[in-house]
Amino acid sequence: TYISKVREVQGTKKKYSPDIAECCRFIENNVQNHIGLTEIALHCGISKRWISRKFRKETGCTIPEYIQRKKLERARQLLQYTRYSVSEISSILQYSTQSYFTEQFRKRYHMTPKKFREMYGA
């Protein structure tokens, strides 16, 4: 059952061009760092303008939106599977303030990080 579920998820995953797939991998692998369009374009060896347009066309969102989504997904994992405080998670993921992190988390998941941990934490 587990293997069939994994295959099902992999089969429904969007297929991106190699350049965009590499951008996504780079973002996911560096989500805890301060990264932006310049770093991504340099890593992929592509112009900032071209990668911005192509990324939005293929993913349906901008690079900053994608980075934000991935940061919040990582925050959710950290809240669920670690004992890091909300403040520590905010810092790990390079948010400017804990209140900004909480605001963004609430927008995405319709609850505060604290409430999420109470409901789903280990």
Side-chain angles (χ1 to χ4, degrees), residues 86-87 89-91 93-105:
V86 172
S87 176
I89 292 170
S90 170
S91 180
L93 295 173
Q94 304 288 317
Y95 280 93
S96 54
T97 65
Q98 181 182 336
S99 61
Y100 180 68
F101 164 66
T102 299
E103 175 188 326
Q104 295 303 305
F105 192 93

PDB file of all heavy atoms in Angstrom, residues 86-87 89-91 93-105:
ATOM      1  N   VAL A  86       9.065  27.981  18.248  1.00  0.00           N
ATOM      2  CA  VAL A  86       8.611  28.776  17.106  1.00  0.00           C
ATOM      3  C   VAL A  86       9.663  29.826  16.769  1.00  0.00           C
ATOM      4  O   VAL A  86       9.978  30.060  15.603  1.00  0.00           O
ATOM      5  CB  VAL A  86       7.233  29.421  17.389  1.00  0.00           C
ATOM      6  CG1 VAL A  86       6.844  30.388  16.294  1.00  0.00           C
ATOM      7  CG2 VAL A  86       6.171  28.346  17.567  1.00  0.00           C
ATOM      8  N   SER A  87      10.245  30.411  17.781  1.00  0.00           N
ATOM      9  CA  SER A  87      11.299  31.405  17.581  1.00  0.00           C
ATOM     10  C   SER A  87      12.510  30.798  16.875  1.00  0.00           C
ATOM     11  O   SER A  87      13.076  31.399  15.955  1.00  0.00           O
ATOM     12  CB  SER A  87      11.706  31.987  18.932  1.00  0.00           C
ATOM     13  OG  SER A  87      12.779  32.871  18.782  1.00  0.00           O
ATOM     14  N   ILE A  89      12.568  28.122  14.938  1.00  0.00           N
ATOM     15  CA  ILE A  89      12.184  27.776  13.567  1.00  0.00           C
ATOM     16  C   ILE A  89      12.178  29.026  12.700  1.00  0.00           C
ATOM     17  O   ILE A  89      12.683  29.012  11.576  1.00  0.00           O
ATOM     18  CB  ILE A  89      10.818  27.055  13.540  1.00  0.00           C
ATOM     19  CG1 ILE A  89      10.958  25.677  14.196  1.00  0.00           C
ATOM     20  CG2 ILE A  89      10.286  26.946  12.113  1.00  0.00           C
ATOM     21  CD1 ILE A  89       9.653  24.960  14.453  1.00  0.00           C
ATOM     22  N   SER A  90      11.650  30.101  13.227  1.00  0.00           N
ATOM     23  CA  SER A  90      11.651  31.374  12.516  1.00  0.00           C
ATOM     24  C   SER A  90      13.070  31.786  12.149  1.00  0.00           C
ATOM     25  O   SER A  90      13.351  32.202  11.024  1.00  0.00           O
ATOM     26  CB  SER A  90      10.988  32.442  13.389  1.00  0.00           C
ATOM     27  OG  SER A  90      11.163  33.718  12.857  1.00  0.00           O
ATOM     28  N   SER A  91      13.968  31.625  13.074  1.00  0.00           N
ATOM     29  CA  SER A  91      15.368  31.970  12.853  1.00  0.00           C
ATOM     30  C   SER A  91      16.042  31.015  11.865  1.00  0.00           C
ATOM     31  O   SER A  91      16.758  31.451  10.959  1.00  0.00           O
ATOM     32  CB  SER A  91      16.105  31.957  14.191  1.00  0.00           C
ATOM     33  OG  SER A  91      17.453  32.282  14.018  1.00  0.00           O
ATOM     34  N   LEU A  93      14.774  29.435   9.459  1.00  0.00           N
ATOM     35  CA  LEU A  93      14.279  29.668   8.103  1.00  0.00           C
ATOM     36  C   LEU A  93      14.475  31.106   7.625  1.00  0.00           C
ATOM     37  O   LEU A  93      13.918  31.502   6.605  1.00  0.00           O
ATOM     38  CB  LEU A  93      12.807  29.246   8.012  1.00  0.00           C
ATOM     39  CG  LEU A  93      12.593  27.745   8.220  1.00  0.00           C
ATOM     40  CD1 LEU A  93      11.116  27.415   8.288  1.00  0.00           C
ATOM     41  CD2 LEU A  93      13.277  26.938   7.128  1.00  0.00           C
ATOM     42  N   GLN A  94      15.270  31.864   8.364  1.00  0.00           N
ATOM     43  CA  GLN A  94      15.681  33.206   7.957  1.00  0.00           C
ATOM     44  C   GLN A  94      14.535  34.214   7.842  1.00  0.00           C
ATOM     45  O   GLN A  94      14.553  35.095   6.990  1.00  0.00           O
ATOM     46  CB  GLN A  94      16.438  33.157   6.623  1.00  0.00           C
ATOM     47  CG  GLN A  94      17.647  32.248   6.597  1.00  0.00           C
ATOM     48  CD  GLN A  94      18.799  32.800   7.405  1.00  0.00           C
ATOM     49  OE1 GLN A  94      19.092  33.981   7.336  1.00  0.00           O
ATOM     50  NE2 GLN A  94      19.455  31.952   8.168  1.00  0.00           N
ATOM     51  N   TYR A  95      13.529  34.089   8.701  1.00  0.00           N
ATOM     52  CA  TYR A  95      12.478  35.116   8.736  1.00  0.00           C
ATOM     53  C   TYR A  95      13.012  36.305   9.515  1.00  0.00           C
ATOM     54  O   TYR A  95      13.758  36.138  10.472  1.00  0.00           O
ATOM     55  CB  TYR A  95      11.196  34.570   9.376  1.00  0.00           C
ATOM     56  CG  TYR A  95      10.378  33.750   8.413  1.00  0.00           C
ATOM     57  CD1 TYR A  95      10.532  32.377   8.338  1.00  0.00           C
ATOM     58  CD2 TYR A  95       9.464  34.350   7.552  1.00  0.00           C
ATOM     59  CE1 TYR A  95       9.800  31.617   7.440  1.00  0.00           C
ATOM     60  CE2 TYR A  95       8.734  33.610   6.653  1.00  0.00           C
ATOM     61  CZ  TYR A  95       8.906  32.244   6.603  1.00  0.00           C
ATOM     62  OH  TYR A  95       8.172  31.501   5.711  1.00  0.00           O
ATOM     63  N   SER A  96      12.628  37.494   9.106  1.00  0.00           N
ATOM     64  CA  SER A  96      13.148  38.699   9.744  1.00  0.00           C
ATOM     65  C   SER A  96      12.702  38.797  11.201  1.00  0.00           C
ATOM     66  O   SER A  96      13.473  39.231  12.054  1.00  0.00           O
ATOM     67  CB  SER A  96      12.726  39.947   8.966  1.00  0.00           C
ATOM     68  OG  SER A  96      11.322  39.970   8.792  1.00  0.00           O
ATOM     69  N   THR A  97      11.463  38.395  11.481  1.00  0.00           N
ATOM     70  CA  THR A  97      10.960  38.389  12.855  1.00  0.00           C
ATOM     71  C   THR A  97      10.043  37.193  13.066  1.00  0.00           C
ATOM     72  O   THR A  97       9.480  36.661  12.107  1.00  0.00           O
ATOM     73  CB  THR A  97      10.151  39.668  13.191  1.00  0.00           C
ATOM     74  OG1 THR A  97       8.973  39.687  12.370  1.00  0.00           O
ATOM     75  CG2 THR A  97      10.972  40.944  12.969  1.00  0.00           C
ATOM     76  N   GLN A  98       9.873  36.825  14.306  1.00  0.00           N
ATOM     77  CA  GLN A  98       8.965  35.731  14.620  1.00  0.00           C
ATOM     78  C   GLN A  98       7.529  36.121  14.295  1.00  0.00           C
ATOM     79  O   GLN A  98       6.747  35.284  13.828  1.00  0.00           O
ATOM     80  CB  GLN A  98       9.081  35.349  16.092  1.00  0.00           C
ATOM     81  CG  GLN A  98       8.170  34.198  16.481  1.00  0.00           C
ATOM     82  CD  GLN A  98       8.255  33.847  17.944  1.00  0.00           C
ATOM     83  OE1 GLN A  98       9.246  34.121  18.597  1.00  0.00           O
ATOM     84  NE2 GLN A  98       7.206  33.237  18.463  1.00  0.00           N
ATOM     85  N   SER A  99       7.170  37.377  14.498  1.00  0.00           N
ATOM     86  CA  SER A  99       5.797  37.796  14.210  1.00  0.00           C
ATOM     87  C   SER A  99       5.500  37.720  12.708  1.00  0.00           C
ATOM     88  O   SER A  99       4.393  37.332  12.311  1.00  0.00           O
ATOM     89  CB  SER A  99       5.506  39.192  14.756  1.00  0.00           C
ATOM     90  OG  SER A  99       6.358  40.143  14.176  1.00  0.00           O
ATOM     91  N   TYR A 100       6.478  38.056  11.878  1.00  0.00           N
ATOM     92  CA  TYR A 100       6.277  37.935  10.434  1.00  0.00           C
ATOM     93  C   TYR A 100       6.124  36.465  10.047  1.00  0.00           C
ATOM     94  O   TYR A 100       5.254  36.107   9.235  1.00  0.00           O
ATOM     95  CB  TYR A 100       7.436  38.576   9.667  1.00  0.00           C
ATOM     96  CG  TYR A 100       7.280  38.480   8.170  1.00  0.00           C
ATOM     97  CD1 TYR A 100       6.278  39.184   7.504  1.00  0.00           C
ATOM     98  CD2 TYR A 100       8.112  37.661   7.415  1.00  0.00           C
ATOM     99  CE1 TYR A 100       6.116  39.075   6.125  1.00  0.00           C
ATOM    100  CE2 TYR A 100       7.963  37.545   6.044  1.00  0.00           C
ATOM    101  CZ  TYR A 100       6.965  38.258   5.410  1.00  0.00           C
ATOM    102  OH  TYR A 100       6.803  38.147   4.047  1.00  0.00           O
ATOM    103  N   PHE A 101       6.937  35.600  10.630  1.00  0.00           N
ATOM    104  CA  PHE A 101       6.823  34.165  10.384  1.00  0.00           C
ATOM    105  C   PHE A 101       5.429  33.674  10.770  1.00  0.00           C
ATOM    106  O   PHE A 101       4.759  32.972  10.001  1.00  0.00           O
ATOM    107  CB  PHE A 101       7.896  33.404  11.163  1.00  0.00           C
ATOM    108  CG  PHE A 101       7.629  31.929  11.278  1.00  0.00           C
ATOM    109  CD1 PHE A 101       7.635  31.111  10.156  1.00  0.00           C
ATOM    110  CD2 PHE A 101       7.371  31.356  12.511  1.00  0.00           C
ATOM    111  CE1 PHE A 101       7.381  29.748  10.265  1.00  0.00           C
ATOM    112  CE2 PHE A 101       7.123  29.994  12.626  1.00  0.00           C
ATOM    113  CZ  PHE A 101       7.128  29.204  11.497  1.00  0.00           C
ATOM    114  N   THR A 102       4.974  34.053  11.945  1.00  0.00           N
ATOM    115  CA  THR A 102       3.653  33.627  12.425  1.00  0.00           C
ATOM    116  C   THR A 102       2.551  34.126  11.499  1.00  0.00           C
ATOM    117  O   THR A 102       1.623  33.393  11.170  1.00  0.00           O
ATOM    118  CB  THR A 102       3.423  34.117  13.866  1.00  0.00           C
ATOM    119  OG1 THR A 102       4.432  33.545  14.708  1.00  0.00           O
ATOM    120  CG2 THR A 102       2.051  33.736  14.382  1.00  0.00           C
ATOM    121  N   GLU A 103       2.676  35.361  11.050  1.00  0.00           N
ATOM    122  CA  GLU A 103       1.696  35.943  10.128  1.00  0.00           C
ATOM    123  C   GLU A 103       1.632  35.151   8.820  1.00  0.00           C
ATOM    124  O   GLU A 103       0.554  34.816   8.326  1.00  0.00           O
ATOM    125  CB  GLU A 103       2.080  37.395   9.841  1.00  0.00           C
ATOM    126  CG  GLU A 103       1.232  38.105   8.822  1.00  0.00           C
ATOM    127  CD  GLU A 103       1.804  39.460   8.465  1.00  0.00           C
ATOM    128  OE1 GLU A 103       2.390  40.127   9.340  1.00  0.00           O
ATOM    129  OE2 GLU A 103       1.667  39.858   7.289  1.00  0.00           O
ATOM    130  N   GLN A 104       2.796  34.835   8.257  1.00  0.00           N
ATOM    131  CA  GLN A 104       2.843  34.081   7.008  1.00  0.00           C
ATOM    132  C   GLN A 104       2.318  32.650   7.193  1.00  0.00           C
ATOM    133  O   GLN A 104       1.601  32.131   6.340  1.00  0.00           O
ATOM    134  CB  GLN A 104       4.278  34.047   6.453  1.00  0.00           C
ATOM    135  CG  GLN A 104       4.804  35.407   6.043  1.00  0.00           C
ATOM    136  CD  GLN A 104       3.901  36.069   5.018  1.00  0.00           C
ATOM    137  OE1 GLN A 104       3.617  35.498   3.972  1.00  0.00           O
ATOM    138  NE2 GLN A 104       3.444  37.268   5.320  1.00  0.00           N
ATOM    139  N   PHE A 105       2.661  32.030   8.310  1.00  0.00           N
ATOM    140  CA  PHE A 105       2.193  30.676   8.601  1.00  0.00           C
ATOM    141  C   PHE A 105       0.671  30.671   8.720  1.00  0.00           C
ATOM    142  O   PHE A 105      -0.001  29.787   8.179  1.00  0.00           O
ATOM    143  CB  PHE A 105       2.837  30.160   9.901  1.00  0.00           C
ATOM    144  CG  PHE A 105       2.652  28.688  10.121  1.00  0.00           C
ATOM    145  CD1 PHE A 105       3.612  27.790   9.687  1.00  0.00           C
ATOM    146  CD2 PHE A 105       1.524  28.196  10.771  1.00  0.00           C
ATOM    147  CE1 PHE A 105       3.452  26.422   9.881  1.00  0.00           C
ATOM    148  CE2 PHE A 105       1.350  26.837  10.974  1.00  0.00           C
ATOM    149  CZ  PHE A 105       2.315  25.949  10.516  1.00  0.00           C
TER     150      PHE A 105
END
